[in-house]
Amino acid sequence: MGEGAAATGSVVGGEADTAHRLATARGLLRRLEDRAAGPRPAAEPGADGRVLPVGAPLATLLPGGGLRRGTTVAVTGTVGATSLVLALLAEASDGGAWAGVIGRPDLGLVAAAEAGVALERLALVPYPGADLVAVTAALLDGLDLVVVAGRVLHSSDRARLAARARQRGAVLLPLGPWPGADLELTCEQGGWRGVGAGSGDVGRLRTRRVCVRLRGRGVAPAGRSARLLLPGVAGRLAVDVEGDASAVDRPIADREAG
């Protein structure tokens, strides 16, 4: 764990000037690429090689069964959004994809590892400062998935980053609202289990039940949703078997009416 943290936790100091931040970000990319064994893209499902894999509970929700390269997928919500991002990174990074997370100094590597993220292929830039857009563009040049937390205020900057992801065949994962995103995943209705006397594991939080909603291109106007455990008993994403797992492909409005 120590080696992984040292390799992935290159910190861009908030006090550094623009040139230093960009040089550090690009140096991080060079080190990651030097360490990569074989071709950069992960083994992917689908004949066109354009989809990065995700865990089975999310594969049934996303168009094409995974994260399509070149797209922007925003992850929003006040409950479990960070856990959902880690779940999105887990399968792809385990299969060989390289991922980066920008602007989340509080991200825990232990939590990432428990979610299934391969730390040796995870780059962290906790403090991009005023150079959030430039650092994000730099990482999109060399990584497969890039998570960006922080407000990108100008529509021109959002368009520039989305275009960079399309050109490079990367997946841009904004953590928070992102007007113009191809897809938006919203995590909501979270509730922890494992504390009460009837839970079977008194005094310990074990699982969290959430509803993940999907809207965007390639999805019916009503959207889709699934009830998941995030995390599940083993720390990984799982289907909430006590929920209506068969409702994944039904429109949101139909399920709420029922």
Side-chain angles (χ1 to χ4, degrees):
M1 179 67 71
E3 181 181 352
T8 61
S10 298
V11 176
V12 180
E15 301 298 323
D17 60 21
T18 299
H20 178 68
R21 289 197 190 100
L22 292 177
T24 302
R26 295 188 184 278
L28 173 62
L29 278 176
R30 286 193 296 272
R31 291 197 299 274
L32 290 172
E33 290 169 348
D34 288 344
R35 293 178 58 196
R40 182 174 66 96
E44 301 150 359
D48 64 358
R50 293 288 297 173
V51 178
L52 288 166
V54 296
L58 289 171
T60 59
L61 189 63
L62 290 165
L67 294 169
R68 188 165 293 276
R69 289 181 177 274
T71 61
T72 298
V73 182
V75 180
T76 67
T78 57
V79 175
T82 300
S83 296
L84 180 56
V85 162
L86 294 178
L88 289 168
L89 299 182
E91 193 80 10
S93 67
D94 187 58
W98 292 76
V101 179
I102 305 168
R104 283 303 303 265
D106 57 340
L107 184 70
L109 291 178
V110 172
E114 289 178 347
V117 178
L119 297 185
E120 66 273 17
R121 286 184 288 276
L122 177 65
L124 302 180
V125 184
Y127 299 104
D131 301 306
L132 178 65
V133 173
V135 170
T136 303
L139 294 191
L140 285 170
D141 283 344
L143 303 184
D144 299 285
L145 307 104
V146 177
V147 178
V148 55
R151 297 183 65 189
V152 178
L153 298 176
H154 300 295
S155 60
S156 59
D157 288 334
R158 293 193 297 270
R160 173 191 167 197
L161 292 176
R164 182 67 64 93
R166 287 194 299 271
Q167 293 165 0
R168 303 302 186 188
V171 178
L172 178 63
L173 293 165
L175 186 54
W178 189 277
D182 298 294
L183 296 172
E184 180 178 281
L185 287 165
T186 302
C187 195
E188 56 188 33
Q189 298 178 3
W192 285 97
R193 304 170 66 191
V195 176
S199 68
D201 194 8
V202 178
R204 180 183 179 188
L205 296 173
R206 299 180 68 234
T207 63
R208 177 171 54 192
R209 302 178 70 177
V210 299
C211 178
V212 177
R213 300 183 183 274
L214 174 71
R215 291 183 173 87
R217 299 175 186 173
V219 181
R224 300 177 184 172
S225 71
R227 295 195 177 276
L228 306 174
L229 297 179
L230 188 65
V233 175
R236 305 289 184 93
L237 174 73
V239 173
D240 182 2
V241 294
E242 296 182 16
D244 186 5
S246 65
V248 167
D249 292 319
R250 289 166 48 195
I252 295 170
D254 291 349
R255 290 197 302 278
E256 291 178 342

